């Protein structure tokens, strides 16, 4: 059966219209030549044979009209006794109708085909045995077309599923890249800002307050080491190491506050309500909000006092960071605030930024929906 497979592969490589033209020509010749053996071929026979086969050239695009045309030609051939033993054109049209037509077209075309076949066989020849054979051929053609339709539907379903999975993978990869970018921005911006402030103050403190200068330089070293640790943890995702090291959460707020104090800020931390354990993603979001807010205070606010407030409610957590700096003159469209808003929105929360209480300083206020995560 190797030659059959090779022939099928060659046919599949041809343009569909060329294949259909070949089928139409073969059906036409198979209809005309047997008719010529029985009776003298007339122009009417040739014309009806063409009507019963040539429309197959357009069978894929117009399956229902082609079935109607081939059916009319087949009935006409039967009336002039030029049909022969097998209505090949109508069989191919029936197969195509079952394979590619819509549900309504299949219903109407199938009923019409059965009625036309019964008329041709019973009314013109009145042979029940011939009717059974002919009906079996049409049922086989219909079943083969239905099988082809089911196979194409399965292929289309698998292709659609593959496309959706590819889109989901790309979307997940894009979200992961955005998350890594936000994490790296938060880590580097916060740490480098603190290191820069303390490094600038270090030479002065060496002369005026050596003990504090030593603490400042120790803090610079600790901050740098912690930054490298967090960067390794974040970049580990790219090496398939995500989840091997815990991400920071609200337990790290106290350390953030202490480092900000070492940078010269007076930081007050206040917590109200009933604290509880947060899911990792939510805890990391709250931590990054505090971290980025402190970074902005150090870099832009020229503030001396910062207040960090955590307010627990039954279904939400409020995280607010305010200062006594120069207020909303700070840039609101920077990458830090944009990334912070994206991070809060990703967990279903809301973020508000602007002037602090009484229009003084700057306020970052995030509301995180604890109830939807825990």
């Amino acid at each position: 059966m190797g030659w059959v497979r090779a022939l099928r592969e060659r046919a599949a490589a041809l343009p569909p219209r060329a294949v259909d033209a070949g089928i139409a020509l073969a059906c036409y010749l198979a209809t005309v030549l047997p008719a010529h053996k029985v009776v003298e071929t007339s122009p009417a026979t040739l014309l009806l044979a063409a009507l019963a086969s040539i429309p197959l050239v357009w069978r894929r695009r117009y399956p229902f009209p082609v079935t109607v045309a081939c059916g009319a030609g087949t009935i006409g051939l039967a009336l002039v006794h030029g049909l022969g033993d097998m209505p090949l054109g109508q069989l191919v049209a029936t197969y195509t109708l079952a394979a590619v037509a819509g549900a309504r077209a299949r219903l109407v075309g199938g009923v019409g085909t059965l009625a036309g076949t019964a008329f041709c066989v019973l009314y013109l020849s009145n042979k029940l045995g011939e009717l059974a054979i002919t009906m079996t051929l049409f049922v086989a053609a219909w079943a083969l077309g239905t099988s082809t339709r089911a196979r194409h539907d399965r292929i289309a379903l698998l292709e659609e599923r593959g496309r959706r999975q590819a889109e989901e993978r790309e979307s997940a990869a894009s979200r992961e890249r955005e998350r890594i970018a936000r994490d790296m921005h938060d880590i580097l911006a916060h740490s480098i800002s603190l290191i820069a402030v303390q490094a600038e103050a270090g030479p002065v403190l060496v002369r005026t307050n050596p003990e504090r200068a030593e603490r400042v330089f120790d803090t610079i070293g600790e901050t740098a080491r912690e930054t490298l640790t967090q960067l390794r943890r974040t970049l580990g995702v790219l090496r398939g190491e995500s989840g091997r090291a815990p991400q920071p959460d609200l337990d790290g707020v106290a350390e953030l506050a202490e480092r900000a104090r070492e940078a010269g800020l007076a930081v007050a931390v206040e917590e109200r309500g009933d604290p509880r354990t947060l899911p990792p993603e939510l805890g990391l979001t709250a931590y990054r909000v505090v971290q980025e807010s402190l970074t902005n205070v150090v870099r832009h606010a020229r503030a001396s006092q910062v207040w960090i407030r955590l307010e627990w409610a039954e279904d939400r957590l409020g995280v607010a960071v305010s200062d006594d700096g120069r207020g909303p003159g700070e840039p609101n469209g920077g990458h830090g605030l944009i990334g912070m808003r994206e991070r809060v929105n990703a967990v279903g929360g809301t973020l508000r930024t602007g002037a602090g209480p009484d229009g003084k300083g700057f306020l970052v206020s995030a509301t995180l929906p604890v109830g939807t995560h825990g």
Side-chain angles (χ1 to χ4, degrees), residues 176-193 227-239 247-248 284 288 291-292 295 299 335-336 339 343:
E176 188 65 14
R177 288 193 296 268
E178 292 175 358
R179 186 192 69 79
I180 292 173
R182 286 196 300 265
D183 282 348
M184 293 187 65
H185 172 274
D186 293 345
I187 293 168
L188 292 174
H190 178 75
S191 302
I192 292 177
S193 296
T227 300
L228 289 175
T229 300
Q230 292 196 39
L231 285 176
R232 291 193 191 99
R233 185 182 302 161
T234 301
L235 295 177
V237 175
L238 302 178
R239 300 189 295 269
Q247 294 288 341
L284 177 62
R288 295 299 188 203
Q291 182 184 52
E292 180 60 26
T295 300
R299 296 175 62 185
H335 294 293
R343 196 184 285 277

Side-chain angles (χ1 to χ4, degrees), residues 23-81:
I23 292 174
L25 179 60
C27 291
Y28 177 75
L29 295 176
T31 302
V32 170
L33 294 180
H36 180 69
K37 295 178 181 179
V38 178
V39 296
E40 183 178 352
T41 304
S42 65
T45 302
L46 296 176
L47 181 61
L48 289 171
L51 181 61
S53 55
I54 299 304
L56 294 175
V57 175
W58 301 277
R59 67 189 183 94
R60 301 174 198 259
R61 188 170 183 180
Y62 306 108
F64 183 76
V66 166
T67 301
V68 173
C70 290
T74 300
I75 293 176
L77 285 171
L79 290 174
V80 299
H81 302 287

Side-chain angles (χ1 to χ4, degrees), residues 4 38 52 84 108 111 144 189 195 259 290 303 314 336 367 373:
V4 176
V38 178
V108 176
V111 172
L144 184 59
I195 290 173
R259 289 181 180 174
V290 175
E314 182 178 354
T367 302
H373 292 266

Side-chain angles (χ1 to χ4, degrees), residues 269-309:
V269 180
E270 180 182 3
E271 189 168 12
R272 298 177 181 177
D274 184 18
R276 72 202 75 166
T277 301
L278 294 176
E281 184 180 11
L282 198 58
L284 177 62
T285 299
Y287 176 89
R288 295 299 188 203
V289 168
V290 175
Q291 182 184 52
E292 180 60 26
S293 299
L294 290 176
T295 300
N296 289 337
V297 172
V298 172
R299 296 175 62 185
H300 305 298
R302 300 177 185 174
S304 59
Q305 180 76 38
V306 180
W307 295 270
I308 301 173
R309 289 185 295 275

